[in-house]
Amino acid sequence: MEIETKCIQSGYNPGNGEPRQIPIVQSTTFKYNSGTDMAKLFDLEAEGYFYSRLQNPTNDAVAAKIAALEGGSAAILTSSGMAAVFFALFNICSCGDHIVSSSTIYGGSYNLMSVTMKRMGIECTFIDPDCTPEELEQAFRPNTKAVYGETIANPALNVLDIEKFAAAAHRHGVPLIVDNTFATPVNCRPFEWGADIVVHSTSKYMDGHGAVLGGAVVDSGKFDWTKNAEKFPGLTTPDESYHGIVYADRFGLEGAYITKLSAQLMRDFGSTPSPYNSYILNLGLESLPVRMARHCENALKIAEFLSEHDKISWVKYCGLPGDKYYALGQKYMPGGSCGVISFGVRGGRENAERFMQGLKVASIETHVADARTCCLHPASTTHRQMNDEELIRAGVPGDLVRYSCGLENAKDLIEDIDAALAALDI
Ligand SMILES: *Cc1c(COP(=O)(O)O)cnc(C)c1O
């Protein structure tokens, strides 16, 4: 099936006389006739539901759809994107381990790896995503367990060379984990380029309406944990908390990683989405391909308009010919990338702020990637603790405006921008 069809049909297949739309199973728990029946579930010997922190039918149906969209073997939903990022890594890393990550990743993920996971004894080396294969090679250590990057980085907007990162990861016997939030599986499927695990903040385009927080972890089912078994003892040696079950043996390449994540991390940390939120997410998924096409169309029109405007000093969008990442964008996302662009307003920080205040259609928000156009001036908000020099090093200079193109008519958005720029006295 093509992606448009999967967005509608995958994950839930009602039987005769059953509801056409995914039912919201709003129940914490499930009833059994005997304790023996339930014990089998607790021992992972039988499949079924007993407590929604671990598994819930609504969540599972939507997770199965996302697995199908990415071309993966299994997936699990989480209550936020951050929970998905953490679980994807913590499922295979413990105290004493090491991660190699692209340096241009979402701020929350950067904090998670640079501060919080460090406190857990897991270190991370951040590397310029545009580095040479030799430089990438040097970032690895004997205790490296995973490589991490974002298809299109938020907010830096660089495109990850997935094949380069996958080749390096596989040379060292570890998986490549890719955050595919901005591209969505409609525009890029990282598994087709060698990635092993994909994570999502479904709070962005997948929901698409700014309505529900959520995340997802998807396994390609192709990474062989047993090949370098000593690196992944959690998957290849007995789990004492489940009577000595070995995930890689019992659930195979296709099921081991997600089963372990669900059985251990969901059991111990929670972070399960509400079935109602999963239902809302599924409504978003149904229209994802239609919406992504409009987001990309609007972004390209606005990027083109801005690149010719004399009050704009630079525009960053990988769909724009001449952009530094145009070639990589065309390789990995020939059908379109995302609706988020960034640009510099002439006159720097103050004019960027004044420009944003002049916008009437676009609103000022920290969120990105949903139906309503919004923008943010990182230098005066998310990155306000940094001075000008630090801002440049972080890839968010003082004049940068991040602009997330919604689903409105591009003509209205361009008129809005034009009027706000006209009001600037440059
Ligand atoms: C927003 C975002 C996250 C975090 O997701 P939440 O749902 O906000 O927890 C992770 N990665 C990327 C690329 C994001 O844009």
Side-chain angles (χ1 to χ4, degrees), residues 30-38:
F30 299 81
K31 184 199 149 208
Y32 284 90
N33 292 332
S34 82
T36 338
D37 286 351
M38 207 157 78

Side-chain angles (χ1 to χ4, degrees), residues 357-378:
Q357 269 151 27
L359 294 169
K360 296 213 162 54
V361 180
S363 56
I364 301 174
E365 293 172 28
T366 54
H367 193 59
V368 280
D370 73 41
R372 279 158 290 270
T373 295
C374 59
C375 59
L376 177 77
H377 181 229

Side-chain angles (χ1 to χ4, degrees), residues 78-85 105-109 148-155 179-183 199-204 212-216 366-369 402:
T78 54
S79 53
S80 73
M82 283 316 302
V85 174
I105 53 172
Y106 178 66
S109 306
Y148 189 91
E150 294 176 3
T151 315
I152 305 170
N154 176 14
D179 182 332
N180 198 31
T181 298
F182 268 23
V199 295
H200 280 282
S201 165
T202 62
S203 323
K204 312 291 164 54
V212 285
L213 277 176
T366 54
H367 193 59
V368 280
R402 181 181 73 179

Side-chain angles (χ1 to χ4, degrees), residues 60-133:
D60 282 1
V62 182
K65 176 176 282 185
I66 293 175
L69 296 180
E70 287 289 0
S73 64
I76 189 163
L77 299 187
T78 54
S79 53
S80 73
M82 283 316 302
V85 174
F86 174 58
F87 284 2
L89 290 164
F90 198 61
N91 203 29
I92 47 172
C93 298
S94 355
C95 184
D97 288 342
H98 174 254
I99 300 161
V100 173
S101 174
S102 159
S103 58
T104 58
I105 53 172
Y106 178 66
S109 306
Y110 189 88
N111 272 329
L112 171 71
M113 291 176 221
S114 63
V115 179
T116 305
M117 289 183 76
K118 197 172 177 185
R119 279 174 38 215
M120 305 170 116
I122 300 165
E123 281 196 48
C124 182
T125 298
F126 293 99
I127 175 132
D128 179 348
D130 299 330
C131 64
T132 64

Side-chain angles (χ1 to χ4, degrees), residues 50-56 60 76 242 262-263 266-267 272:
F50 58 100
Y51 194 53
S52 279
R53 168 152 42 77
L54 285 109
Q55 276 191 308
N56 169 281
D60 282 1
I76 189 163
Y242 279 107
S262 159
M266 279 300 181
R267 179 194 61 192
T272 314

Side-chain angles (χ1 to χ4, degrees), residues 339-410:
V340 184
I341 63 178
S342 65
F343 51 89
V345 180
R346 265 184 49 206
R349 182 190 285 256
E350 272 143 53
N351 278 340
E353 259 190 288
R354 266 201 286 147
F355 159 73
M356 282 196 2
Q357 269 151 27
L359 294 169
K360 296 213 162 54
V361 180
S363 56
I364 301 174
E365 293 172 28
T366 54
H367 193 59
V368 280
D370 73 41
R372 279 158 290 270
T373 295
C374 59
C375 59
L376 177 77
H377 181 229
S380 63
T381 53
T382 51
H383 294 63
R384 62 179 294 120
Q385 73 284 3
M386 294 185 180
N387 62 35
D388 283 353
E389 221 172 86
E390 288 171 325
L391 285 169
I392 288 168
R393 246 184 289 136
V396 281
D399 62 347
L400 182 149
V401 173
R402 181 181 73 179
Y403 190 92
S404 172
C405 304
L407 299 175
E408 300 92 338
N409 190 305

